[in-house]
Amino acid sequence: MRSNNPHLQIQAPPPCEKENKDSSFVNSILHLDALTITGETLGQRIANANIIDSEIIRHNDNAYSQVGGLKILFGNLCEQGAVLKVAAVAESMKEFSGKAICFNSQDEAIKGIAGGKVKAGSVVVIRYEGPKGGPGMQEMLSPTSLIMGMGLGESVALITDGRFSGATRGACIGHISPEAAEGGLIALIEDGDEIEISVSRGSLELKVDSKILEARKAKWKPFKKEITSKWLKRYSLLVSNAANGAVLKTEL
């Protein structure tokens, strides 16, 4: 039997060493006893599948990339984690240090980027756009599109406690947790601070002395957006950060 997909032929291939190797690999990464929508197990469903063009449907040993498309970063700027779409990052930006330029909303960032405030070597910081600070999480497609459109995609990074869409390109790190509105370190960044991004180490670090940060923390007051909706005010008070799923707490 053949499928409609010209690259996937459903027929039993002749036994060979390659097949045995692939079968062993498949068994190690798939739950073959899981039920599918047809009522068959996954193992039954794929038992006679044979890849006939490995340039289209690839084996593990000739994969387009040996790493996944996303990278979870940790560091003093994201103790609970942050997310980078590493597949969209230029090689030259995978190890990057730059000077912070801070914005307290996406709208403020758009005006600043369009107005020429962001230069090569900058790390754009967009904060108070996490679940609590937004409130909600706007996608940051407009600021990233501006950066790319201005030819700064390989010289400017962007970090935020907000989120990105699937179309985002460049060194754009989102879902930083703890977020600014709950007192995360991203709230204490000042213009000119050095920020270091390392994809190889999976780290995001603010390179500022701890005593300076303690002094900033002592004077910090959260930036308050004007929220007219009573529901959104309630949401902002009860929602958890992105690392914890942006869920509403049931107990105070």
Side-chain angles (χ1 to χ4, degrees), residues 219-233:
K219 296 186 292 184
W220 174 74
K221 293 182 180 178
F223 173 77
K224 294 288 187 182
K225 294 181 180 178
E226 183 179 351
I227 305 173
T228 57
S229 164
K230 291 182 179 179
W231 160 245
L232 285 179
K233 287 180 180 178

Side-chain angles (χ1 to χ4, degrees), residues 113-174:
I113 297 168
K117 289 186 177 180
V118 174
K119 310 292 184 184
S122 297
V123 178
V124 176
V125 178
I126 305 179
R127 56 197 175 195
Y128 296 100
E129 289 290 6
K132 184 178 292 292
M137 298 180 77
Q138 294 190 75
E139 62 170 325
M140 301 288 122
L141 183 58
S142 294
T144 59
S145 297
L146 278 171
I147 290 170
M148 296 301 294
M150 294 170 70
L152 298 172
E154 294 192 21
S155 59
V156 168
L158 186 153
I159 70 172
T160 180
D161 50 13
R163 67 180 179 89
F164 298 110
S165 75
T168 299
R169 294 168 54 206
C172 302
I173 299 169

Side-chain angles (χ1 to χ4, degrees), residues 13 28 36 38 41 43 45-46 54 71 75 91-92 98 105 144 154 158 169 202 216 227:
S28 71
T36 68
T38 66
T41 66
R45 188 68 180 157
I46 68 174
S54 61
K71 182 85 172 182
E91 285 297 324
S92 61
S105 70
T144 59
E154 294 192 21
L158 186 153
R169 294 168 54 206
R216 291 182 188 177
I227 305 173

